[in-house]
Amino acid sequence: MNELELKDKTAVITGGAGVICSEMARALALQGVRTAIIDLNKEAALKIAGEIEKESGTPSMGLAASVLDKSSLNAAREELISRFGPADILVNGAGGNAASATTKVEMIEGNEELTDTFFGLGIDGFDQVFDLNFKGTLLPTMVFAADMVKRRSGTIINISSMNSYRPLTKIAAYSAAKAAVNNFTQWLAVHFAKTGVRVNAIAPGFLLTNQNRFLLIDEKTGELTARAKKIIGNTPMDRFGTPGELTGTLLYLASGLSKFVTGIVIPVDGGFSAYSGV
Ligand code: NAD
């Protein structure tokens, strides 16, 4: 039996029009998986789905929904069921940080404005980042995993981050929200363990994408920021990763190759989480 066999399965990918998850959807489609690209950005979702269908020859649909709006997710599920049937795979990919939940300085030295530190963070920024990353994982799981539990089969893959293991400076809300995603991954894996539905997560290392560009590239010069140089300096493989480098782990977690694996968070990080910096 080929444990990697995924042909004719159906996957829902939230945030599927984004940099990482569009690549994940492509990788699944190349294995013969029908993909539903769910994104807030309808145009981008339709475009990615069209490209995927063309490239892979596997049906793909773009659906506009917000991972924070259960009724829009329910409507997406109805559409999914009428065209592809229920989801076998759910990738909870919508997520990200916000500038309003990011401090200007890494550590308090004593001579900076307090508003540039923890004290300048807005609770609205915390709400936004917690909602998108945590509730944005919870709600699609409530909507799409019920069919999996009823059919006693399915796999859920949450997208976490390096900052979930040890928080990164500046991004207090995003780090805490991704730590919550890891915790929830373990909780749900246990809760579902007897149902045949597995729950795991991938923690990508550092990639250069839209959500972190403002932290990693100097707007004026286009050069790497000091922070970006520090990241590369702490990544033993000495570079940023690419979205395509996450897809091997995705296929492993989505397929029977990992059939006895549930409740884990796999770092894909060029060695970042293993390195003490010395
Ligand atoms: P991205 O900004 O390219 O993509 C995110 C997508 O989510 C966008 O298409 C956006 O329209 C969509 N989205 C935003 N809010 C939504 C909502 N409420 N409902 C539905 N869709 C919504 O981001 P990315 O870098 O590809 O990140 C994807 C995931 O990977 C996120 O969970 C992110 O936290 C995580 N991640 C990214 C990195 C990185 O270096 N880029 C590293 C670790 C983890």
Side-chain angles (χ1 to χ4, degrees):
M1 186 182 169
N2 179 4
E3 300 282 16
L4 178 58
E5 182 63 61
L6 285 168
K7 196 167 165 9
D8 296 329
K9 300 264 185 212
T10 293
V12 167
I13 301 111
T14 73
V19 180
I20 290 179
C21 290
S22 59
E23 197 61 32
M24 290 190 163
R26 283 194 167 90
L28 289 167
L30 288 173
Q31 299 297 321
V33 176
R34 291 182 294 263
T35 48
I37 312 296
I38 292 193
D39 205 285
L40 208 49
N41 184 339
K42 184 177 183 183
E43 242 171 68
L46 291 172
K47 182 169 173 279
I48 299 283
E51 287 170 10
I52 287 178
E53 203 163 276
K54 219 170 171 187
E55 281 164 21
S56 64
T58 313
S60 181
M61 68 171 115
L63 294 168
S66 169
V67 292
L68 297 177
D69 174 5
K70 209 168 176 187
S71 63
S72 73
L73 291 167
N74 279 329
R77 177 182 162 272
E78 294 291 314
E79 182 81 19
L80 176 82
I81 293 199
S82 71
R83 288 170 62 190
F84 293 174
D88 303 292
I89 300 163
L90 170 65
V91 179
N92 280 313
N97 186 33
S100 53
T102 305
T103 60
K104 295 215 169 51
V105 298
E106 290 186 353
M107 294 187 217
I108 295 183
E109 305 288 345
N111 51 3
E112 59 281 286
E113 296 290 332
L114 274 189
T115 49
D116 290 346
T117 72
F118 165 70
F119 301 102
L121 293 175
I123 201 68
D124 52 329
F126 266 82
D127 283 345
Q128 190 187 328
V129 172
F130 260 86
D131 282 357
L132 178 58
N133 291 281
F134 184 65
K135 280 195 209 155
T137 296
L138 190 71
L139 284 178
T141 304
M142 280 181 173
V143 170
F144 292 102
D147 295 317
M148 296 181 184
V149 169
K150 277 186 213 140
R151 298 163 74 221
R152 304 195 68 77
S153 159
T155 166
I156 298 165
I157 296 130
N158 297 328
I159 306 300
S160 183
S161 169
M162 267 310 100
N163 59 43
S164 65
Y165 303 111
R166 273 184 306 164
L168 300 180
T169 56
K170 291 190 170 180
I171 50 175
Y174 185 49
S175 297
K178 289 297 195 187
V181 168
N182 289 11
N183 189 283
F184 174 62
T185 299
Q186 292 180 314
W187 185 87
L188 197 65
V190 172
H191 192 63
F192 281 177
K194 293 179 182 162
T195 70
V197 180
R198 297 183 296 108
V199 190
N200 292 292
I202 298 175
F206 294 86
L207 314 164
L208 188 58
T209 60
N210 298 336
Q211 57 141 327
N212 61 16
R213 196 169 299 273
F214 76 101
L215 284 172
L216 302 181
I217 303 284
D218 188 307
E219 236 177 80
K220 290 184 194 114
T221 64
E223 301 280 311
L224 290 182
T225 59
R227 188 179 179 85
K229 286 181 188 152
K230 206 147 105 175
I231 288 169
I232 302 287
N234 280 280
T235 301
M237 288 191 176
D238 214 18
R239 62 176 175 82
F240 288 115
T242 64
E245 287 171 326
L246 301 171
T247 57
T249 307
L250 172 75
L251 296 180
Y252 164 69
L253 290 177
S255 70
L257 286 176
S258 59
K259 64 185 176 195
F260 196 50
V261 175
T262 196
I264 66 164
V265 182
I266 303 184
V268 183
D269 65 348
F272 182 92
S273 58
Y275 185 45
S276 69
V278 179

mmCIF file of all heavy atoms in Angstrom, residues 126-173:
data_model
loop_
_atom_site.group_PDB
_atom_site.id
_atom_site.type_symbol
_atom_site.label_atom_id
_atom_site.label_comp_id
_atom_site.label_asym_id
_atom_site.label_seq_id
_atom_site.Cartn_x
_atom_site.Cartn_y
_atom_site.Cartn_z
ATOM 1 N N PHE A 126 -3.746 43.351 19.814
ATOM 2 C CA PHE A 126 -3.756 42.019 20.445
ATOM 3 C C PHE A 126 -4.992 41.241 20.009
ATOM 4 O O PHE A 126 -4.913 40.072 19.650
ATOM 5 C CB PHE A 126 -3.736 42.151 21.977
ATOM 6 C CG PHE A 126 -2.350 42.085 22.535
ATOM 7 C CD1 PHE A 126 -1.540 43.209 22.538
ATOM 8 C CD2 PHE A 126 -1.848 40.893 23.027
ATOM 9 C CE1 PHE A 126 -0.255 43.147 23.039
ATOM 10 C CE2 PHE A 126 -0.555 40.817 23.529
ATOM 11 C CZ PHE A 126 0.246 41.954 23.534
ATOM 12 N N ASP A 127 -6.138 41.925 20.052
ATOM 13 C CA ASP A 127 -7.387 41.247 19.655
ATOM 14 C C ASP A 127 -7.294 40.752 18.219
ATOM 15 O O ASP A 127 -7.642 39.617 17.910
ATOM 16 C CB ASP A 127 -8.573 42.220 19.774
ATOM 17 C CG ASP A 127 -8.998 42.409 21.228
ATOM 18 O OD1 ASP A 127 -8.577 41.602 22.082
ATOM 19 O OD2 ASP A 127 -9.723 43.388 21.498
ATOM 20 N N GLN A 128 -6.806 41.627 17.360
ATOM 21 C CA GLN A 128 -6.721 41.294 15.928
ATOM 22 C C GLN A 128 -5.834 40.053 15.700
ATOM 23 O O GLN A 128 -6.212 39.117 14.998
ATOM 24 C CB GLN A 128 -6.129 42.504 15.199
ATOM 25 C CG GLN A 128 -6.194 42.426 13.697
ATOM 26 C CD GLN A 128 -5.419 43.603 13.071
ATOM 27 O OE1 GLN A 128 -5.362 44.692 13.636
ATOM 28 N NE2 GLN A 128 -4.825 43.371 11.926
ATOM 29 N N VAL A 129 -4.658 40.068 16.351
ATOM 30 C CA VAL A 129 -3.695 38.983 16.117
ATOM 31 C C VAL A 129 -4.145 37.680 16.793
ATOM 32 O O VAL A 129 -4.040 36.601 16.212
ATOM 33 C CB VAL A 129 -2.288 39.419 16.584
ATOM 34 C CG1 VAL A 129 -1.306 38.271 16.542
ATOM 35 C CG2 VAL A 129 -1.792 40.576 15.714
ATOM 36 N N PHE A 130 -4.690 37.811 18.010
ATOM 37 C CA PHE A 130 -5.193 36.601 18.683
ATOM 38 C C PHE A 130 -6.363 36.013 17.909
ATOM 39 O O PHE A 130 -6.456 34.804 17.722
ATOM 40 C CB PHE A 130 -5.630 36.934 20.117
ATOM 41 C CG PHE A 130 -4.590 36.548 21.101
ATOM 42 C CD1 PHE A 130 -3.553 37.410 21.404
ATOM 43 C CD2 PHE A 130 -4.600 35.300 21.697
ATOM 44 C CE1 PHE A 130 -2.543 37.046 22.285
ATOM 45 C CE2 PHE A 130 -3.603 34.923 22.587
ATOM 46 C CZ PHE A 130 -2.577 35.794 22.880
ATOM 47 N N ASP A 131 -7.257 36.875 17.482
ATOM 48 C CA ASP A 131 -8.433 36.379 16.763
ATOM 49 C C ASP A 131 -8.009 35.665 15.485
ATOM 50 O O ASP A 131 -8.421 34.539 15.232
ATOM 51 C CB ASP A 131 -9.386 37.533 16.427
ATOM 52 C CG ASP A 131 -10.202 37.954 17.646
ATOM 53 O OD1 ASP A 131 -10.060 37.312 18.702
ATOM 54 O OD2 ASP A 131 -10.969 38.929 17.534
ATOM 55 N N LEU A 132 -7.180 36.334 14.681
ATOM 56 C CA LEU A 132 -6.828 35.740 13.389
ATOM 57 C C LEU A 132 -6.109 34.400 13.563
ATOM 58 O O LEU A 132 -6.459 33.409 12.926
ATOM 59 C CB LEU A 132 -5.965 36.721 12.574
ATOM 60 C CG LEU A 132 -5.497 36.199 11.211
ATOM 61 C CD1 LEU A 132 -6.684 35.809 10.329
ATOM 62 C CD2 LEU A 132 -4.639 37.242 10.499
ATOM 63 N N ASN A 133 -5.118 34.363 14.458
ATOM 64 C CA ASN A 133 -4.304 33.143 14.557
ATOM 65 C C ASN A 133 -4.971 32.047 15.375
ATOM 66 O O ASN A 133 -4.904 30.878 14.992
ATOM 67 C CB ASN A 133 -2.926 33.480 15.143
ATOM 68 C CG ASN A 133 -2.102 34.305 14.183
ATOM 69 O OD1 ASN A 133 -1.525 33.776 13.243
ATOM 70 N ND2 ASN A 133 -2.082 35.627 14.376
ATOM 71 N N PHE A 134 -5.611 32.425 16.473
ATOM 72 C CA PHE A 134 -6.177 31.382 17.335
ATOM 73 C C PHE A 134 -7.628 31.056 16.975
ATOM 74 O O PHE A 134 -7.938 29.938 16.569
ATOM 75 C CB PHE A 134 -6.044 31.753 18.814
ATOM 76 C CG PHE A 134 -6.539 30.630 19.687
ATOM 77 C CD1 PHE A 134 -5.878 29.411 19.691
ATOM 78 C CD2 PHE A 134 -7.679 30.760 20.457
ATOM 79 C CE1 PHE A 134 -6.351 28.334 20.443
ATOM 80 C CE2 PHE A 134 -8.153 29.698 21.209
ATOM 81 C CZ PHE A 134 -7.480 28.494 21.204
ATOM 82 N N LYS A 135 -8.487 32.071 17.042
ATOM 83 C CA LYS A 135 -9.890 31.784 16.681
ATOM 84 C C LYS A 135 -9.994 31.413 15.210
ATOM 85 O O LYS A 135 -10.864 30.654 14.806
ATOM 86 C CB LYS A 135 -10.766 33.011 16.965
ATOM 87 C CG LYS A 135 -11.140 33.140 18.412
ATOM 88 C CD LYS A 135 -12.288 34.129 18.557
ATOM 89 C CE LYS A 135 -12.252 34.815 19.892
ATOM 90 N NZ LYS A 135 -12.913 36.123 19.865
ATOM 91 N N GLY A 136 -9.068 31.959 14.411
ATOM 92 C CA GLY A 136 -9.050 31.647 12.974
ATOM 93 C C GLY A 136 -8.618 30.215 12.695
ATOM 94 O O GLY A 136 -8.725 29.741 11.565
ATOM 95 N N THR A 137 -8.108 29.535 13.715
ATOM 96 C CA THR A 137 -7.800 28.094 13.610
ATOM 97 C C THR A 137 -8.973 27.290 14.167
ATOM 98 O O THR A 137 -9.374 26.262 13.618
ATOM 99 C CB THR A 137 -6.500 27.789 14.391
ATOM 100 O OG1 THR A 137 -5.430 28.503 13.757
ATOM 101 C CG2 THR A 137 -6.174 26.309 14.407
ATOM 102 N N LEU A 138 -9.504 27.823 15.265
ATOM 103 C CA LEU A 138 -10.609 27.155 15.967
ATOM 104 C C LEU A 138 -11.889 27.049 15.109
ATOM 105 O O LEU A 138 -12.470 25.967 14.951
ATOM 106 C CB LEU A 138 -10.900 28.012 17.203
ATOM 107 C CG LEU A 138 -11.811 27.501 18.263
ATOM 108 C CD1 LEU A 138 -11.131 26.378 19.016
ATOM 109 C CD2 LEU A 138 -12.130 28.641 19.246
ATOM 110 N N LEU A 139 -12.306 28.180 14.547
ATOM 111 C CA LEU A 139 -13.611 28.203 13.858
ATOM 112 C C LEU A 139 -13.649 27.319 12.610
ATOM 113 O O LEU A 139 -14.589 26.525 12.455
ATOM 114 C CB LEU A 139 -14.004 29.641 13.509
ATOM 115 C CG LEU A 139 -14.508 30.503 14.663
ATOM 116 C CD1 LEU A 139 -14.811 31.925 14.194
ATOM 117 C CD2 LEU A 139 -15.763 29.886 15.259
ATOM 118 N N PRO A 140 -12.643 27.404 11.689
ATOM 119 C CA PRO A 140 -12.699 26.506 10.533
ATOM 120 C C PRO A 140 -12.659 25.033 10.961
ATOM 121 O O PRO A 140 -13.259 24.173 10.316
ATOM 122 C CB PRO A 140 -11.443 26.870 9.733
ATOM 123 C CG PRO A 140 -11.105 28.252 10.167
ATOM 124 C CD PRO A 140 -11.518 28.348 11.601
ATOM 125 N N THR A 141 -11.981 24.743 12.078
ATOM 126 C CA THR A 141 -11.928 23.356 12.553
ATOM 127 C C THR A 141 -13.320 22.920 12.995
ATOM 128 O O THR A 141 -13.766 21.809 12.700
ATOM 129 C CB THR A 141 -10.897 23.231 13.702
ATOM 130 O OG1 THR A 141 -9.642 23.720 13.228
ATOM 131 C CG2 THR A 141 -10.740 21.791 14.146
ATOM 132 N N MET A 142 -14.035 23.821 13.685
ATOM 133 C CA MET A 142 -15.409 23.483 14.098
ATOM 134 C C MET A 142 -16.278 23.202 12.883
ATOM 135 O O MET A 142 -17.095 22.288 12.878
ATOM 136 C CB MET A 142 -16.018 24.646 14.878
ATOM 137 C CG MET A 142 -15.557 24.678 16.299
ATOM 138 S SD MET A 142 -16.330 26.059 17.153
ATOM 139 C CE MET A 142 -15.783 25.702 18.813
ATOM 140 N N VAL A 143 -16.081 24.000 11.840
ATOM 141 C CA VAL A 143 -16.955 23.878 10.666
ATOM 142 C C VAL A 143 -16.597 22.657 9.816
ATOM 143 O O VAL A 143 -17.483 21.917 9.388
ATOM 144 C CB VAL A 143 -16.906 25.180 9.828
ATOM 145 C CG1 VAL A 143 -17.601 25.009 8.494
ATOM 146 C CG2 VAL A 143 -17.524 26.325 10.627
ATOM 147 N N PHE A 144 -15.301 22.421 9.572
ATOM 148 C CA PHE A 144 -14.929 21.375 8.607
ATOM 149 C C PHE A 144 -14.617 20.019 9.260
ATOM 150 O O PHE A 144 -14.678 18.991 8.584
ATOM 151 C CB PHE A 144 -13.741 21.836 7.749
ATOM 152 C CG PHE A 144 -14.114 22.966 6.836
ATOM 153 C CD1 PHE A 144 -13.761 24.278 7.136
ATOM 154 C CD2 PHE A 144 -14.861 22.730 5.683
ATOM 155 C CE1 PHE A 144 -14.135 25.328 6.306
ATOM 156 C CE2 PHE A 144 -15.236 23.766 4.850
ATOM 157 C CZ PHE A 144 -14.869 25.081 5.161
ATOM 158 N N ALA A 145 -14.273 20.009 10.561
ATOM 159 C CA ALA A 145 -13.869 18.728 11.158
ATOM 160 C C ALA A 145 -15.068 17.874 11.576
ATOM 161 O O ALA A 145 -14.916 16.670 11.775
ATOM 162 C CB ALA A 145 -12.938 18.968 12.346
ATOM 163 N N ALA A 146 -16.254 18.479 11.665
ATOM 164 C CA ALA A 146 -17.419 17.679 12.078
ATOM 165 C C ALA A 146 -17.656 16.567 11.056
ATOM 166 O O ALA A 146 -17.948 15.412 11.427
ATOM 167 C CB ALA A 146 -18.641 18.579 12.210
ATOM 168 N N ASP A 147 -17.482 16.881 9.765
ATOM 169 C CA ASP A 147 -17.664 15.849 8.728
ATOM 170 C C ASP A 147 -16.598 14.758 8.862
ATOM 171 O O ASP A 147 -16.853 13.591 8.595
ATOM 172 C CB ASP A 147 -17.582 16.485 7.330
ATOM 173 C CG ASP A 147 -18.721 17.463 7.090
ATOM 174 O OD1 ASP A 147 -19.869 17.139 7.452
ATOM 175 O OD2 ASP A 147 -18.468 18.561 6.547
ATOM 176 N N MET A 148 -15.384 15.185 9.259
ATOM 177 C CA MET A 148 -14.294 14.199 9.419
ATOM 178 C C MET A 148 -14.624 13.239 10.565
ATOM 179 O O MET A 148 -14.477 12.029 10.443
ATOM 180 C CB MET A 148 -12.972 14.916 9.735
ATOM 181 C CG MET A 148 -12.451 15.817 8.651
ATOM 182 S SD MET A 148 -10.872 16.543 9.210
ATOM 183 C CE MET A 148 -10.533 17.642 7.851
ATOM 184 N N VAL A 149 -15.066 13.801 11.687
ATOM 185 C CA VAL A 149 -15.372 12.975 12.861
ATOM 186 C C VAL A 149 -16.504 11.990 12.528
ATOM 187 O O VAL A 149 -16.427 10.805 12.857
ATOM 188 C CB VAL A 149 -15.698 13.871 14.075
ATOM 189 C CG1 VAL A 149 -16.284 13.067 15.223
ATOM 190 C CG2 VAL A 149 -14.439 14.612 14.535
ATOM 191 N N LYS A 150 -17.508 12.495 11.796
ATOM 192 C CA LYS A 150 -18.634 11.615 11.422
ATOM 193 C C LYS A 150 -18.159 10.486 10.522
ATOM 194 O O LYS A 150 -18.613 9.355 10.637
ATOM 195 C CB LYS A 150 -19.703 12.431 10.670
ATOM 196 C CG LYS A 150 -20.631 13.168 11.590
ATOM 197 C CD LYS A 150 -21.753 13.831 10.789
ATOM 198 C CE LYS A 150 -22.155 15.121 11.465
ATOM 199 N NZ LYS A 150 -22.425 16.223 10.531
ATOM 200 N N ARG A 151 -17.199 10.806 9.629
ATOM 201 C CA ARG A 151 -16.703 9.774 8.687
ATOM 202 C C ARG A 151 -15.530 8.997 9.282
ATOM 203 O O ARG A 151 -14.984 8.122 8.649
ATOM 204 C CB ARG A 151 -16.295 10.447 7.372
ATOM 205 C CG ARG A 151 -17.485 11.127 6.685
ATOM 206 C CD ARG A 151 -17.014 12.121 5.642
ATOM 207 N NE ARG A 151 -16.515 11.465 4.456
ATOM 208 C CZ ARG A 151 -15.428 11.835 3.779
ATOM 209 N NH1 ARG A 151 -14.712 12.860 4.200
ATOM 210 N NH2 ARG A 151 -15.057 11.203 2.702
ATOM 211 N N ARG A 152 -15.125 9.352 10.490
ATOM 212 C CA ARG A 152 -14.034 8.709 11.229
ATOM 213 C C ARG A 152 -12.733 8.676 10.443
ATOM 214 O O ARG A 152 -11.988 7.696 10.449
ATOM 215 C CB ARG A 152 -14.439 7.299 11.702
ATOM 216 C CG ARG A 152 -15.713 7.317 12.551
ATOM 217 C CD ARG A 152 -15.944 6.053 13.327
ATOM 218 N NE ARG A 152 -14.980 5.808 14.390
ATOM 219 C CZ ARG A 152 -14.987 6.416 15.564
ATOM 220 N NH1 ARG A 152 -15.902 7.340 15.844
ATOM 221 N NH2 ARG A 152 -14.080 6.120 16.473
ATOM 222 N N SER A 153 -12.454 9.802 9.782
ATOM 223 C CA SER A 153 -11.209 9.908 9.023
ATOM 224 C C SER A 153 -10.945 11.357 8.658
ATOM 225 O O SER A 153 -11.871 12.096 8.313
ATOM 226 C CB SER A 153 -11.360 9.049 7.756
ATOM 227 O OG SER A 153 -10.461 9.452 6.777
ATOM 228 N N GLY A 154 -9.688 11.750 8.755
ATOM 229 C CA GLY A 154 -9.347 13.114 8.346
ATOM 230 C C GLY A 154 -8.062 13.563 9.012
ATOM 231 O O GLY A 154 -7.590 12.944 9.978
ATOM 232 N N THR A 155 -7.493 14.611 8.465
ATOM 233 C CA THR A 155 -6.277 15.144 9.076
ATOM 234 C C THR A 155 -6.293 16.670 9.038
ATOM 235 O O THR A 155 -6.680 17.270 8.029
ATOM 236 C CB THR A 155 -5.003 14.514 8.445
ATOM 237 O OG1 THR A 155 -3.869 15.280 8.812
ATOM 238 C CG2 THR A 155 -5.056 14.417 6.952
ATOM 239 N N ILE A 156 -5.909 17.242 10.165
ATOM 240 C CA ILE A 156 -5.912 18.702 10.317
ATOM 241 C C ILE A 156 -4.470 19.145 10.523
ATOM 242 O O ILE A 156 -3.748 18.542 11.330
ATOM 243 C CB ILE A 156 -6.785 19.109 11.525
ATOM 244 C CG1 ILE A 156 -8.227 18.656 11.275
ATOM 245 C CG2 ILE A 156 -6.714 20.625 11.774
ATOM 246 C CD1 ILE A 156 -9.097 18.673 12.505
ATOM 247 N N ILE A 157 -4.070 20.159 9.772
ATOM 248 C CA ILE A 157 -2.696 20.661 9.892
ATOM 249 C C ILE A 157 -2.769 22.156 10.174
ATOM 250 O O ILE A 157 -3.241 22.940 9.343
ATOM 251 C CB ILE A 157 -1.899 20.367 8.599
ATOM 252 C CG1 ILE A 157 -1.780 18.844 8.427
ATOM 253 C CG2 ILE A 157 -0.502 20.992 8.667
ATOM 254 C CD1 ILE A 157 -2.151 18.342 7.105
ATOM 255 N N ASN A 158 -2.349 22.532 11.378
ATOM 256 C CA ASN A 158 -2.342 23.947 11.757
ATOM 257 C C ASN A 158 -0.991 24.546 11.393
ATOM 258 O O ASN A 158 0.031 23.860 11.442
ATOM 259 C CB ASN A 158 -2.589 24.086 13.257
ATOM 260 C CG ASN A 158 -3.958 23.553 13.659
ATOM 261 O OD1 ASN A 158 -4.912 23.634 12.869
ATOM 262 N ND2 ASN A 158 -4.063 22.992 14.851
ATOM 263 N N ILE A 159 -1.006 25.836 11.046
ATOM 264 C CA ILE A 159 0.267 26.480 10.715
ATOM 265 C C ILE A 159 0.674 27.365 11.890
ATOM 266 O O ILE A 159 0.029 28.367 12.194
ATOM 267 C CB ILE A 159 0.183 27.289 9.400
ATOM 268 C CG1 ILE A 159 -0.350 26.402 8.259
ATOM 269 C CG2 ILE A 159 1.567 27.847 9.050
ATOM 270 C CD1 ILE A 159 0.464 25.160 7.924
ATOM 271 N N SER A 160 1.735 26.933 12.546
ATOM 272 C CA SER A 160 2.248 27.643 13.714
ATOM 273 C C SER A 160 3.441 28.498 13.292
ATOM 274 O O SER A 160 3.475 29.008 12.166
ATOM 275 C CB SER A 160 2.610 26.609 14.783
ATOM 276 O OG SER A 160 3.050 27.253 15.941
ATOM 277 N N SER A 161 4.412 28.637 14.149
ATOM 278 C CA SER A 161 5.566 29.482 13.829
ATOM 279 C C SER A 161 6.692 29.206 14.826
ATOM 280 O O SER A 161 6.445 28.683 15.922
ATOM 281 C CB SER A 161 5.140 30.948 13.922
ATOM 282 O OG SER A 161 6.276 31.775 13.879
ATOM 283 N N MET A 162 7.897 29.599 14.486
ATOM 284 C CA MET A 162 9.040 29.506 15.389
ATOM 285 C C MET A 162 8.773 30.194 16.722
ATOM 286 O O MET A 162 9.229 29.757 17.770
ATOM 287 C CB MET A 162 10.242 30.234 14.765
ATOM 288 C CG MET A 162 11.173 29.393 13.972
ATOM 289 S SD MET A 162 11.684 27.939 14.838
ATOM 290 C CE MET A 162 10.640 26.693 14.130
ATOM 291 N N ASN A 163 8.028 31.313 16.667
ATOM 292 C CA ASN A 163 7.823 32.089 17.896
ATOM 293 C C ASN A 163 6.898 31.384 18.898
ATOM 294 O O ASN A 163 6.708 31.859 20.005
ATOM 295 C CB ASN A 163 7.300 33.491 17.557
ATOM 296 C CG ASN A 163 6.002 33.441 16.803
ATOM 297 O OD1 ASN A 163 5.115 32.665 17.143
ATOM 298 N ND2 ASN A 163 5.876 34.245 15.764
ATOM 299 N N SER A 164 6.339 30.231 18.491
ATOM 300 C CA SER A 164 5.473 29.493 19.415
ATOM 301 C C SER A 164 6.286 28.742 20.467
ATOM 302 O O SER A 164 5.779 28.443 21.541
ATOM 303 C CB SER A 164 4.617 28.501 18.639
ATOM 304 O OG SER A 164 5.436 27.515 18.034
ATOM 305 N N TYR A 165 7.532 28.399 20.156
ATOM 306 C CA TYR A 165 8.373 27.659 21.113
ATOM 307 C C TYR A 165 9.020 28.632 22.102
ATOM 308 O O TYR A 165 9.010 28.430 23.301
ATOM 309 C CB TYR A 165 9.494 26.898 20.393
ATOM 310 C CG TYR A 165 9.047 25.920 19.338
ATOM 311 C CD1 TYR A 165 9.296 26.163 17.994
ATOM 312 C CD2 TYR A 165 8.400 24.733 19.691
ATOM 313 C CE1 TYR A 165 8.920 25.257 17.023
ATOM 314 C CE2 TYR A 165 8.022 23.828 18.722
ATOM 315 C CZ TYR A 165 8.280 24.090 17.384
ATOM 316 O OH TYR A 165 7.903 23.209 16.420
ATOM 317 N N ARG A 166 9.651 29.669 21.539
ATOM 318 C CA ARG A 166 10.248 30.739 22.356
ATOM 319 C C ARG A 166 9.835 32.034 21.690
ATOM 320 O O ARG A 166 10.010 32.189 20.481
ATOM 321 C CB ARG A 166 11.772 30.625 22.353
ATOM 322 C CG ARG A 166 12.293 29.702 23.436
ATOM 323 C CD ARG A 166 13.800 29.694 23.448
ATOM 324 N NE ARG A 166 14.317 29.375 22.128
ATOM 325 C CZ ARG A 166 15.561 29.579 21.727
ATOM 326 N NH1 ARG A 166 16.420 30.144 22.531
ATOM 327 N NH2 ARG A 166 15.957 29.247 20.509
ATOM 328 N N PRO A 167 9.283 32.984 22.445
ATOM 329 C CA PRO A 167 8.784 34.199 21.796
ATOM 330 C C PRO A 167 9.906 34.995 21.141
ATOM 331 O O PRO A 167 11.028 35.016 21.637
ATOM 332 C CB PRO A 167 8.174 34.984 22.956
ATOM 333 C CG PRO A 167 8.770 34.409 24.200
ATOM 334 C CD PRO A 167 9.094 32.989 23.907
ATOM 335 N N LEU A 168 9.590 35.629 20.038
ATOM 336 C CA LEU A 168 10.535 36.532 19.391
ATOM 337 C C LEU A 168 10.300 37.926 19.950
ATOM 338 O O LEU A 168 9.161 38.273 20.292
ATOM 339 C CB LEU A 168 10.312 36.538 17.881
ATOM 340 C CG LEU A 168 10.484 35.193 17.166
ATOM 341 C CD1 LEU A 168 10.234 35.367 15.674
ATOM 342 C CD2 LEU A 168 11.853 34.596 17.406
ATOM 343 N N THR A 169 11.343 38.726 19.999
ATOM 344 C CA THR A 169 11.183 40.093 20.483
ATOM 345 C C THR A 169 10.196 40.841 19.585
ATOM 346 O O THR A 169 9.987 40.478 18.427
ATOM 347 C CB THR A 169 12.527 40.843 20.463
ATOM 348 O OG1 THR A 169 13.050 40.782 19.139
ATOM 349 C CG2 THR A 169 13.509 40.238 21.442
ATOM 350 N N LYS A 170 9.626 41.860 20.094
ATOM 351 C CA LYS A 170 8.707 42.797 19.431
ATOM 352 C C LYS A 170 7.281 42.259 19.239
ATOM 353 O O LYS A 170 6.338 42.994 19.339
ATOM 354 C CB LYS A 170 9.255 43.236 18.056
ATOM 355 C CG LYS A 170 10.485 44.116 18.137
ATOM 356 C CD LYS A 170 10.793 44.684 16.777
ATOM 357 C CE LYS A 170 11.850 45.761 16.851
ATOM 358 N NZ LYS A 170 12.147 46.324 15.548
ATOM 359 N N ILE A 171 7.135 40.951 18.921
ATOM 360 C CA ILE A 171 5.824 40.476 18.485
ATOM 361 C C ILE A 171 5.124 39.661 19.583
ATOM 362 O O ILE A 171 4.894 38.458 19.456
ATOM 363 C CB ILE A 171 5.936 39.696 17.158
ATOM 364 C CG1 ILE A 171 7.024 38.620 17.225
ATOM 365 C CG2 ILE A 171 6.260 40.654 16.015
ATOM 366 C CD1 ILE A 171 7.081 37.753 15.964
ATOM 367 N N ALA A 172 4.779 40.395 20.635
ATOM 368 C CA ALA A 172 4.226 39.744 21.829
ATOM 369 C C ALA A 172 2.930 38.994 21.524
ATOM 370 O O ALA A 172 2.764 37.836 21.922
ATOM 371 C CB ALA A 172 3.961 40.810 22.891
ATOM 372 N N ALA A 173 2.027 39.627 20.798
ATOM 373 C CA ALA A 173 0.719 39.015 20.566
ATOM 374 C C ALA A 173 0.838 37.815 19.626
ATOM 375 O O ALA A 173 0.257 36.753 19.875
ATOM 376 C CB ALA A 173 -0.226 40.052 19.957
#
